[in-house]
Amino acid sequence: MTPPHLLSIAGTDPSGGAGQMADIKTFSALGGFGTSVITAVLAQNTQGVQQVLPMPIELIEQQLHSVFSDITIDAVKIGMVADRATAVTLRRAIEHYRPRYVVLDPVMVAKSGDTLVDSAGIAAVRDVLVPIADVITPNLPEAAALLDCPLPASLDDMQQLLPALSALGPSAILLKGGHLDAPHSADLLYHNGAIEQLDAPRIDTRNLHGSGCTLASAITALLPQRASLSAAVHEAKHYMTRALEESSRLNVGKGNGPAHHFWQWW
């Protein structure tokens, strides 16, 4: 069976735990062939983000053409998008080449707390990219930023946000509840007007660097390989939980370490 061809559109992370590096590792761990388009080069490690350099639009366009014109892409994962020009460029390419699945992780703030995207960038992601996504995977601060509303404080608050997020245009939403103060990590999958709750034990770890990237790329890898969106999201959630459980084996960095993307193998 031919592995699905997957594309990560994201920023870099030289420490290897987040962004495009996390995406490619996750694609590989879950049986996909990873390709990449870099939107920004970051100086970043487990302790924070030191510098961000967005790629020139012409180079992003050429990268997109290089990949799409040569390789049939089954699913795309979009991560960091710094400005409207980048968002418009990505939308134009996706509408032209029409990959089967598009997963959007609206990255705005790194786990270290460093802001990656300003208000104009948030508006660009909301207005340009969210409407063409098959799945968006915001955490609670990202959902609040997309809707310009207060941060949800409970599972009921999360449920109240789902119709408004859906009105932005995505086909499905995975609203992640990791920021809630609760013994379990509850995410809500919203699709075709129905809500499905995904529960997992809350892992006592600080190794959360790149966890959002990893979950979104796991969904991207599994969508072409599973019979339904629900099945792909459930398996991605399990993969992410196990990657956090095994993360202490890596001992990477002095800050928020990465998840263990290859926990199944070593």
Side-chain angles (χ1 to χ4, degrees):
M1 181 178 177
T2 302
H5 301 153
L6 311 170
L7 171 59
S8 165
I9 303 174
T12 65
D13 173 16
S15 69
Q20 197 152 92
M21 286 62 184
D23 294 349
I24 298 298
K25 290 176 182 179
T26 304
F27 292 166
S28 300
L30 294 173
F33 179 84
T35 64
S36 69
V37 167
I38 296 172
T39 59
V41 174
L42 280 69
Q44 180 181 197
N45 55 28
T46 66
Q47 300 180 79
V49 177
Q50 293 80 46
Q51 188 171 351
V52 178
L53 178 65
M55 287 289 96
I57 295 301
E58 295 79 6
L59 184 53
I60 294 174
E61 288 179 330
Q62 188 57 62
Q63 290 180 83
L64 289 163
H65 178 70
S66 295
V67 174
F68 278 120
S69 65
D70 185 46
I71 302 169
T72 300
I73 297 297
D74 298 298
V76 173
K77 182 258 180 175
I78 303 175
M80 181 182 173
V81 176
D83 52 44
R84 180 169 290 272
T86 299
V88 170
T89 297
L90 299 183
R91 177 163 177 162
R92 186 183 301 121
I94 287 168
E95 290 181 332
H96 178 74
Y97 291 104
R98 297 191 176 279
R100 183 177 176 189
Y101 298 107
V102 176
V103 177
L104 173 64
D105 181 26
V107 178
M108 298 170 188
V109 178
K111 283 296 183 294
S112 59
D114 295 290
T115 300
L116 299 174
V117 180
D118 60 17
S119 58
I122 294 170
V125 169
R126 181 190 63 228
D127 300 338
V128 179
L129 294 177
V130 168
I132 63 167
D134 293 288
V135 188
I136 62 171
T137 63
N139 60 28
L140 299 187
E142 291 161 351
L146 288 172
L147 297 174
D148 192 21
C149 70
L151 188 68
S154 68
L155 197 58
D156 286 342
D157 289 345
M158 287 177 61
Q159 292 177 353
Q160 295 302 314
L161 292 189
L162 292 172
L165 288 169
S166 182
L168 298 178
S171 298
I173 301 152
L174 180 67
L175 181 57
K176 300 176 294 188
H179 286 78
L180 293 182
D181 184 13
H184 282 73
S185 174
D187 300 338
L188 299 179
L189 178 62
Y190 188 70
H191 182 51
N192 291 332
I195 301 174
E196 185 176 357
Q197 184 169 325
L198 291 78
D199 287 319
R202 186 174 294 277
I203 310 302
D204 184 16
T205 180
R206 62 184 298 190
N207 297 327
L208 299 172
H209 181 56
S211 56
C213 307
T214 299
L215 180 59
S217 54
I219 295 170
T220 306
L222 291 167
L223 276 172
Q225 303 184 75
R226 299 296 178 263
S228 68
L229 168 65
S230 179
V233 171
H234 273 273
E235 187 170 339
K237 173 85 168 176
H238 170 72
Y239 167 81
M240 184 74 252
T241 300
R242 294 286 287 121
L244 292 174
E245 287 176 338
E246 299 290 340
S247 63
S248 61
R249 294 168 52 197
L250 296 177
N251 193 27
V252 173
K254 301 174 182 177
N256 297 306
H260 192 335
H261 297 94
F262 295 107
W263 59 265
Q264 309 104 309
W265 310 111
W266 50 274

